[in-house]
Amino acid sequence: MEDIRSQLLKKSKKAKLEHFGKALSLLCISFIVLVVLAIFYFVASKGVTPFFKNGVKLSSFLFGSEWNPSAVGTDGKPIVGALPMIAGSFIVTFLSAIVATPFAIGAAVFMTEISPKLGKRVLQPVIELLVGIPSVVYGFIGLSVIVPAVRSVFGGTGFGILAGTFVLFVMILPTVTSMTVDALKSVPRYYREASLALGATRWQTIYKVVLRAAVPGILTAVVFGMARAFGEALAIQMVIGNAALIPENLTTPASTLTSILTMGIGNTVMGTLENNILWSLALILLLMSLFFNIVIRLIGKKGAMK
C-alpha cells in the first residue's frame, strides 16, 4: 500500500515540466518588470536633480520660454525654460495625427471592405515595407525633398513645424493604417450582413455600422501613432531646425524634446546642470509615454465593454 501511495503522490514528469515552465515564465515576467521599474527610477532620479540640487524652479522649467542652460538669468537662476520644446513636440504630434488619420482610415476601408484581395496582395506588403524603413532614411528624404519643397512654396528656410509634420505623417501612417485594418477586420461579419439585410447600402453599412463598431480600435491606432510621433527623434531633428524658440508659425525653425535631447546629451558632462536638465526633458518624455499607454488601455477597455 505504501508503494502505491507514494507512486500516486509522486509528481509525474509532465507535472514537473509544467511547474518548470510556470517558474520560467514568472522569472521572465519578473525580470521585465524589474527592468521597467529600474528605467523609471533611473530617469526619475536624474530628472528631478535640477530641482533639488541646482535650484531650478519647476514652474520656470515647464513654462519658461528661454532655453540656455549654460547661462544665468537676471534673477541668478539658470535659463532652462522647456516650453518651446514641449510646445513643438505637441504641435507636430497632433498635426501629424490629424493629417494621417483620414488617409489611414481610407486605406483601411479600401483594404478590408472594398477590395480585400488587392489590399492583401499589394497594399499590405507596401505598408509592411514602410513600417520597416529606418527613421534616418525618412529624415534624409525629408531633408532632400520636403524641406526644399516647403522652402519653395512657403518661403523661409524650409525647416520647421510643417516639414516635421510631413515627415511624421509618413512615418506614423503605416502604423495607424495597419492597426485600423485590424480594428475593421475584428468587426463581426454578422454586423454587415444584418445591415445589408435591413436595406442599407454598402456605403451606409461601412459608415454607420463597420466604422462605428471599430471606433475604439481606430482611436487606439491613432493614439499609438501619436505616441510614436511624440517619441521620434532622429528624423524630426533633421528637418525641424532645432531652434529652441516658441513656434510663431509652421515654417519657422522650432525644436522638440527629442531633438534637443539627441543634440545635447553627447555634448554635456555628467553631473552638470546642462546634463541634469536634459534628464528632466527625458523624464517628461517618459511620463508622456506612460500617459499614451494609459489612454490606449482605457480606450481598449471601453471597447471591450461594448
Side-chain angles (χ1 to χ4, degrees), residues 168-196:
L168 288 181
F169 152 68
V170 177
M171 292 187 69
I172 69 173
L173 182 61
T175 302
V176 181
T177 303
S178 180
M179 294 184 68
T180 304
V181 168
D182 294 338
L184 295 181
K185 286 182 177 177
S186 67
V187 177
R189 183 179 179 83
Y190 58 81
Y191 277 32
R192 300 172 177 83
E193 294 174 348
S195 176
L196 294 172

Side-chain angles (χ1 to χ4, degrees), residues 188-251:
R189 183 179 179 83
Y190 58 81
Y191 277 32
R192 300 172 177 83
E193 294 174 348
S195 176
L196 294 172
L198 290 173
T201 64
R202 188 182 188 187
W203 287 107
Q204 287 174 331
T205 300
I206 293 173
Y207 175 68
K208 295 187 176 181
V209 177
V210 178
L211 286 178
R212 291 192 178 185
V215 164
I218 296 173
L219 289 178
T220 301
V222 174
V223 175
F224 197 86
M226 291 174 64
R228 187 188 176 189
F230 198 86
E232 178 53 41
L234 191 55
I236 193 71
Q237 180 196 344
M238 297 171 72
V239 299
I240 199 167
N242 304 311
L245 302 170
I246 296 290
E248 296 179 355
N249 54 58
L250 298 182
T251 56

Side-chain angles (χ1 to χ4, degrees), residues 1 8 12 41 44 49 71 84 93 110 114 131 142 149 166 192-193 214 232 234 238 293 304:
M1 282 297 291
L8 290 174
S12 65
Y41 173 75
T49 300
T93 297
F110 182 83
I114 299 175
V131 172
F166 283 136
R192 300 172 177 83
E193 294 174 348
E232 178 53 41
L234 191 55
M238 297 171 72
N293 281 324

Side-chain angles (χ1 to χ4, degrees), residues 145-168:
V145 178
I146 295 177
V147 170
V150 173
R151 184 189 305 134
S152 62
V153 175
F154 299 99
T157 61
F159 295 94
I161 296 289
L162 190 59
T165 298
F166 283 136
V167 171
L168 288 181

Side-chain angles (χ1 to χ4, degrees), residues 28-41:
C28 294
I29 291 294
S30 302
F31 177 74
I32 293 173
V33 172
L34 184 64
V35 169
V36 172
L37 291 177
I39 291 174
F40 267 90
Y41 173 75

